[in-house]
Amino acid sequence: MPSVSEAQYRAEIARFCHLTYEKGYVASTDGNVSARLPDGHIMCTPTISNKGFVKPEDMVIIDMKAQKIKGERKASSEIAMHLLIYEMRPDIHAVVHAHPPCATAYAAAGIPLNKALISEVVLALGCIPLAEYGTPGTPELSDQLRPFVKNFDALLMANHGVVTYGANLEDAFNRMDTVEHFAKISIYTKILGRERLLSSEDVEKLWVQRQKYYGLEGSDAQPKDPMCPVTDGVSETISLTRSELIDLIERVVSNLK
Ligand SMILES: [Zn+2]
């Protein structure tokens, strides 16, 4: 008989898998979810399983070296990414990996979700950087994620999907929810043809609030990357008069000759 807490973890992982599927964040056998157990082992979803139908008894328990401790099935093929996060972040106890369509579109376009567009997203995540592509299920992928894991709680994985992590399963899932919602809003601002970014002063005030809301102290309360999120002070668009533009083009063309 599994202990009560192990049974609870099994049920909770299954619940968040079902939610991830129902929200459309995964299709078919995409994605994987894991949690760090009180004894330090990792419970994760089995490989090639539809997250809409996965059952508590399907979960696999492994150690931090990916050796199976318990379970009928094989652990997720992308478990190395989860282990990397648990290893680098002792504060993290749950990881969710999915392919939500809007955020994954950003990942496929090679565009990070790094703009200070929505105050609540800055508060919750700061920004969501883009890790370059690495073949799933190989050390290449972990190598691309490693530089970001310490300083961010949600990452876009180029040409692949999203990984989010938190102190518990709800926390990790909420971050996935925030990333996809923000990606959708970001696409709408593109459709509207205008993005009005928050100023760096606005973002600084949000970081003070973040400290209060999340009980963060010292360096944890500060932005980890001065360019993340991008504020209106660091505009990607420039404005030129017609004659300045003509002058610029003429100079480029004459250099080509
Ligand atoms: Zn994946």
Side-chain angles (χ1 to χ4, degrees):
M1 276 284 285
S3 67
V4 175
S5 68
E6 186 187 310
Q8 278 172 342
Y9 276 101
R10 288 177 181 276
E12 280 287 277
I13 292 179
R15 184 163 78 91
F16 282 102
C17 283
H18 299 165
L19 205 51
T20 302
Y21 180 78
E22 282 153 23
K23 294 276 284 187
Y25 297 168
V26 286
S28 181
T29 60
D30 293 348
N32 29 75
V33 177
S34 72
R36 197 198 307 256
L37 303 176
D39 66 3
H41 291 148
I42 307 299
M43 184 185 287
C44 66
T45 46
T47 190
I48 320 174
S49 61
N50 186 308
K51 304 307 165 298
F53 314 115
V54 73
K55 295 190 234 21
E57 58 268 34
D58 295 333
M59 304 310 163
V60 184
I61 299 175
I62 57 166
D63 65 16
M64 285 294 282
K65 291 193 167 72
Q67 297 302 310
K68 188 154 85 175
I69 306 280
K70 204 169 176 181
E72 303 272 300
R73 307 188 43 186
K74 261 180 79 180
S76 161
S77 58
E78 291 185 287
I79 197 63
M81 163 173 79
H82 296 238
L83 295 177
L84 171 79
I85 293 165
Y86 290 124
E87 204 179 279
M88 292 185 72
R89 295 280 302 270
D91 57 318
I92 294 300
H93 295 276
V95 177
V96 175
H97 164 59
H99 306 164
C102 296
T104 303
Y106 272 84
I111 305 171
L113 282 162
N114 65 349
K115 289 183 183 170
L117 274 172
I118 303 293
S119 55
E120 296 289 323
V121 176
V122 175
L123 262 180
L125 294 171
C127 82
I128 305 118
L130 172 81
E132 287 306 328
Y133 181 74
T135 308
T138 73
E140 255 177 54
L141 181 61
S142 297
D143 289 345
Q144 297 295 355
L145 297 176
R146 191 172 286 111
F148 300 99
V149 170
K150 214 166 170 2
N151 293 340
F152 301 94
D153 298 325
L155 310 175
L156 296 186
M157 299 149 70
N159 305 92
H160 184 164
V162 183
V163 62
T164 59
Y165 31 100
N168 52 54
L169 283 159
E170 188 174 327
D171 221 16
F173 175 80
N174 283 345
R175 286 172 175 165
M176 184 63 71
D177 222 13
T178 299
V179 170
E180 179 60 358
H181 198 237
F182 179 45
K184 204 182 274 180
I185 292 167
S186 300
I187 291 170
Y188 289 151
T189 61
K190 293 271 181 212
I191 293 168
L192 292 171
R194 191 171 168 201
E195 288 175 326
R196 204 166 66 174
L197 302 188
L198 294 169
S199 68
S200 48
E201 292 78 40
D202 291 330
V203 169
E204 244 163 70
K205 285 184 212 162
L206 288 170
W207 283 101
V208 173
Q209 278 190 318
R210 181 175 152 94
Q211 197 166 354
K212 274 192 236 160
Y213 287 174
Y214 296 100
L216 301 173
E217 283 170 28
S219 62
D220 275 350
Q222 293 305 313
K224 300 300 191 317
D225 178 340
M227 286 296 287
C228 209
V230 175
T231 59
D232 75 345
V234 199
S235 175
E236 286 180 9
T237 54
I238 56 157
S239 48
L240 295 172
T241 64
R242 186 185 163 84
S243 65
E244 283 168 342
L245 179 64
I246 291 169
D247 180 49
L248 183 68
I249 293 169
E250 278 174 353
R251 271 190 284 154
V252 170
V253 171
S254 71
N255 277 342
L256 290 174
K257 283 174 188 165

